[in-house]
Every structure is written in C-alpha cells, then in structure tokens.
Amino acid sequence: MPTRTLVLNVNGARHEVQSSTTATLAEVLREGLGLTGTKLMCNEGECGACTVLINSRPVLSCMTLAADAENKKIMTIEGMADLQTGALHPIQQAFVDRSGMQCGVCTPGMILTAKALLDDNPSPTEDDVRNALSGNLCRCGNYRRITESVLLAARRMKEGGKR
Ligand code: FES
Ligand code: FES
C-alpha cells in the first residue's frame, strides 16, 4: 500500500503523519494521531458517530479520505474544551448536566454537529435541533435528552454570549 506524509491542521495544530494514500480521516485521526475521541461505529456512512468539522461543517470522517482534508481546518471533540483552562465547551457541559450521553459512543459526533448548528443558528427550535441531528444515530435511544442538552447549551451560550 503506497504511503505518503500528510499535513493536517487539527484543532489548530499542524501535524505531519505518514499514512496510506487510501486511509480515511477517521483512521488517521484515531490511529495516526491518537485522537480516539472520534468514534467509529458503522464505518460506512450510516450513523454519524465519526462526525468531525472541516472548515466548520460536519463531515463523516469514515467516508472522507484523509488526503482530502489537507489544507483545511479540522476540529475533533478534543478541540472543543478550552485548551488553556480545560473548561468544557458549553455544549459539552450541557450534555453533562442534562445526561445527554449514555454509552457515549455517539456523543462526540452529536456535539460537533450541534456546534455547527449553533454557530449558524444560535436560537434553534426543537425541530431545528432534531433536523440538524437527524444524521446522527444513538443506539442507546437517548434522543430526548440529547435534544434537551443542545437546547440548554443554546440558551446558556446566548445568555453568556459564549460561542
Ligand atoms: S462511523 Fe462514520 S458514519 Fe458511522
Ligand atoms: S449514548 Fe450510546 S449511542 Fe448514543
């Protein structure tokens, strides 16, 4: 399998990683960079667990070639908390406070999809949240609390002016 050095910008840091030319972004994040917060559930584009942000848009990292993510800004769940203080992002905190996770496998993808939603629409309705998260499956069936978590985060971010 041919390999080459990929240069990826992940969570604001530049990484050089040796990778097969056919590796997916999920594989390189998890195995090449050790960023295992990106989860793999179906590995075939069906569940949304592997969602990361590329240039602020949600993408399925299991369906994206790592090589296609070069020269773009990649955000994974590891980039959500404040890197200086370790404080959780308000969306993460809301998931904690509203029990928005059970096993947690879907949670990173849910949170990153929710971030893209709230960056675009700081005052979503419940339907807006459900629509935005419709590609993210939760095998624990925790949808009600996930939706409540995102709505709580939206309220707190508006009140606190934090994005
Ligand atoms: S693991 Fe990528 S969509 Fe399911
Ligand atoms: S919390 Fe288990 S898959 Fe969603």
Side-chain angles (χ1 to χ4, degrees):
M1 188 79 71
T3 66
R4 75 173 179 91
T5 302
L6 293 178
V7 181
L8 297 178
N9 178 339
V10 185
N11 301 327
R14 182 181 186 277
H15 297 272
E16 290 188 12
V17 59
Q18 198 66 26
S19 165
S20 137
T21 52
T22 58
T24 66
L25 180 57
E27 290 167 340
V28 172
L29 289 171
R30 289 176 55 83
E31 294 160 26
L33 299 180
L35 296 173
T36 54
T38 298
K39 302 303 181 198
L40 275 173
M41 203 150 62
C42 69
N43 205 18
E44 55 185 27
E46 296 288 342
C47 75
C50 63
T51 301
V52 300
L53 302 185
I54 296 184
N55 293 344
S56 303
R57 305 311 314 160
V59 300
L60 300 176
S61 62
C62 76
M63 300 297 288
T64 303
L65 285 178
D68 286 342
E70 282 192 295
N71 304 312
K72 296 173 184 168
K73 290 183 180 172
I74 303 162
M75 175 180 255
T76 69
I77 195 67
E78 289 88 349
M80 286 285 288
D82 186 311
L83 295 177
Q84 304 295 326
T85 66
L88 294 180
H89 186 281
I91 302 174
Q92 294 174 301
Q93 190 61 55
F95 270 69
V96 172
D97 295 341
R98 276 288 186 278
S99 301
M101 70 202 92
Q102 290 188 20
C103 77
V105 173
C106 72
T107 310
M110 292 283 185
I111 287 176
L112 287 162
T113 304
K115 181 177 190 314
L117 168 68
L118 298 187
D119 285 348
D120 279 349
N121 176 6
S123 304
T125 64
E126 185 172 334
D127 280 349
D128 291 336
V129 173
R130 289 183 186 281
N131 284 337
L133 295 178
S134 60
N136 292 74
L137 305 185
C138 175
R139 62 188 178 185
C140 300
N142 200 30
Y143 294 107
R144 184 173 61 81
R145 287 184 175 274
I146 290 167
T147 303
E148 288 175 3
S149 299
V150 178
L151 291 170
L152 174 63
R155 282 199 301 279
R156 286 178 172 172
M157 289 164 73
K158 274 180 63 183
E159 286 163 8
K162 187 161 181 187
R163 300 299 300 273

